[in-house]
Amino acid sequence: MPSSRSRLNGAARGIRTGDWVTTSRIRTYSAMILAFAVLMFGALIGTSQRLNDYQGRPLGTDFSNVYAAGKWTLAGRPEAPFDPELQHEMEKQVFGPDTPLYGWHYPPMFLALAALLASLPYVPALLVWQIATLAAYLATMRAIIPRPEIWLPALAFPAVTLNIAHGQNGFLSAALFGGGLLLLDRRPVVAGTLIGLLCYKPQFGILIPLALVAAGYWRAVFTAAATVITVCALSWLAIGGGAWLAFYKSLEFTRTVVLEQGGTGFHKIQSMFAAWRMWGAPLDISYIAQGTLSAIVAGLIFFLWRSPAAFALKAAALLIGAMLTTPYLLDYDLMLMAPALAVFVAHATEGGFHSYERSAIAFCWIVPLVARSVGEQTNTPLGLLALLLLFGLVLRRALADCSSIPRVAVRRRVG
């Protein structure tokens, strides 16, 4: 029998080479996670009563705030969702008096989509939202890796289950951000439009202008800016300035109660700020930690996007950097890891995997499944660690890529 040392050496060698990450295992583990998700959702629906699950929460939990906000908008009161008491009142009207509060924290332009969905009964609205945005995400993943074997791991990615369970918008964010980067070279105007529409999640847009300006994508920059201005102006004209004023006032509640006091739960938030708060650090130290990380990431993104590194690596770094630079990153927002992993794998498949990359990709892929529970039980910010690991791997590959190019090269497309 092999000794303990030889077994450890074999395990270390397997982690380094990633030989254990085989196509067969990818299919098997993806199928297992999908089967688990189907059973979980089946049990959830089977034990539900009308619009609520067995715990009294609305089906699709967080989607209830979208639906309630849409109802207020259709009633001619688009400023009401930004008042937690009024928002809770509408949620209780729709889902019952024991419904917990699901706050509304999005800019007013998102109320148009909320109102459109709220014109349907709740369950059809939830299904339309989930199916349409999931299809957009899967189409983006298929465009990044145009091979049929991408479907299974893309659908089984654990953040997908989180987004379906919470009725969240991660599919839409991944499709807009990933799709925008995918089209940046070929269709810069379309790319800028998609990136501009991401303004409904403004915390993810901090680094995008920096990267696009650094690389000289001026058409995309101007189109994205025009898209944001147009969407905001149309929102103002359609529902008035009252909703925008209410949104501005609501930012204090979002910052203090949801973020700083951890009303959502620090173990659910996968940012540097939340990690320090989870460890008991005061606010100023937590903000300094987040600000330091954000500044470092921003500088690295700027230099990377000015470099001759492959565009796939620039895209992966920007997707990961967008998550690292915001203090408000829920575990279901890790959906943005999916296109980041896809473009990284596409580049590595073409040029060959480096040491530890296969194992690290497998680790990052599974993290959304356990990040919340591990954070709650051990105070370990697993999602943050996965993002830092993946960002480091992208930078290592980019440095190797640049060192092999003697002069500035033509940008390489993601797909």
Side-chain angles (χ1 to χ4, degrees):
M1 293 181 65
S3 65
S4 298
R5 174 172 290 185
S6 63
R7 286 197 297 269
L8 287 174
N9 289 338
R13 184 168 55 253
I15 293 172
R16 185 180 67 253
T17 62
D19 290 341
W20 64 276
V21 186
T22 63
T23 302
S24 175
R25 283 197 172 114
I26 292 172
R27 284 198 298 262
T28 300
Y29 295 149
S30 296
M32 290 172 60
I33 289 177
L34 275 179
F36 170 77
V38 169
L39 289 174
M40 183 187 73
F41 290 130
L44 191 67
I45 294 171
T47 58
S48 65
Q49 296 182 355
R50 289 190 69 250
L51 303 180
N52 299 324
D53 65 18
Y54 69 99
Q55 291 184 325
R57 304 168 303 184
L59 293 172
T61 56
D62 292 347
F63 182 74
S64 63
N65 72 50
V66 177
Y67 195 79
K71 285 294 187 184
W72 276 125
T73 305
L74 293 174
R77 298 187 61 184
E79 74 287 345
F82 301 101
D83 184 323
E85 291 186 5
L86 293 176
Q87 175 73 350
H88 198 194
E89 177 185 314
M90 179 60 76
E91 289 168 351
K92 289 189 287 187
Q93 287 181 23
V94 177
F95 304 103
D98 297 327
T99 303
L101 169 65
Y102 293 92
W104 176 259
H105 308 292
Y106 300 102
M109 78 280 290
F110 198 39
L111 288 171
L113 181 56
L116 182 63
L117 291 166
S119 65
L120 300 171
Y122 182 73
V123 172
L126 177 60
L127 290 175
V128 167
W129 169 248
Q130 299 276 33
I131 293 171
T133 56
L134 176 61
Y137 154 71
L138 290 174
T140 302
M141 295 293 285
R142 182 66 168 80
I144 295 172
I145 300 181
R147 296 196 299 271
E149 53 265 33
I150 187 59
W151 294 118
L152 188 57
L155 189 57
F157 182 49
V160 170
T161 301
L162 286 174
N163 269 262
I164 294 176
H166 291 281
Q168 265 292 337
N169 47 53
F171 301 145
L172 181 60
S173 299
L176 291 175
F177 204 160
L181 293 175
L182 184 69
L183 296 172
L184 202 51
D185 273 323
R186 291 170 286 175
R187 304 285 295 278
V189 173
V190 177
T193 301
L194 293 177
I195 291 170
L197 291 175
L198 192 63
C199 63
Y200 84 98
K201 297 276 280 192
Q203 68 266 37
F204 291 141
I206 299 172
L207 294 181
I208 296 176
L210 178 71
L212 298 186
V213 168
Y217 286 104
W218 293 107
R219 292 178 66 188
V221 170
F222 293 136
T223 304
T227 300
V228 174
I229 293 170
T230 301
V231 168
C232 292
L234 290 175
S235 171
W236 186 289
L237 292 173
I239 61 178
W244 282 92
L245 180 60
F247 168 64
Y248 176 76
K249 292 179 178 178
S250 75
L251 293 177
E252 179 72 12
F253 176 85
T254 303
R255 179 180 63 82
T256 57
V257 176
V258 178
L259 180 61
E260 295 180 349
Q261 297 174 19
T264 301
F266 290 127
H267 63 283
K268 300 178 185 178
I269 306 175
Q270 305 299 310
S271 68
M272 179 66 79
F273 174 87
W276 281 85
R277 292 293 286 158
M278 183 168 60
W279 296 331
L283 280 176
D284 53 353
I285 298 299
S286 301
Y287 275 122
I288 289 172
Q290 180 64 61
T292 301
L293 175 63
S294 299
I296 293 172
V297 170
L300 291 171
I301 289 292
F302 180 80
F303 286 108
L304 177 59
W305 275 69
R306 286 185 63 84
S307 78
F311 184 75
L313 300 176
K314 296 178 182 180
L318 183 56
L319 284 158
I320 303 162
M323 291 181 278
L324 287 173
T325 52
T326 175
Y328 192 47
L329 179 78
L330 275 295
D331 53 354
Y332 44 71
D333 290 321
L334 294 175
M335 273 304 309
L336 289 181
M337 282 180 66
L341 286 169
V343 293
F344 185 87
V345 168
H347 183 270
T349 301
E350 181 182 338
F353 286 89
H354 297 171
S355 297
Y356 299 104
E357 285 185 342
R358 292 179 185 269
S359 296
I361 289 168
F363 169 74
C364 293
W365 185 86
I366 201 65
V367 154
L369 181 66
V370 295
R372 180 179 297 196
S373 57
V374 169
E376 186 174 22
Q377 298 300 320
T378 69
N379 285 347
T380 302
L382 209 56
L384 173 64
L385 296 177
L387 291 173
L388 291 171
L389 172 62
L390 189 56
F391 193 69
L393 291 177
V394 172
L395 292 178
R396 184 181 72 165
R397 182 168 279 272
L399 287 174
D401 203 49
C402 291
S403 65
S404 65
I405 303 174
R407 60 184 181 278
V408 175
V410 178
R411 299 184 189 96
R412 195 189 292 172
R413 293 184 299 186
V414 174

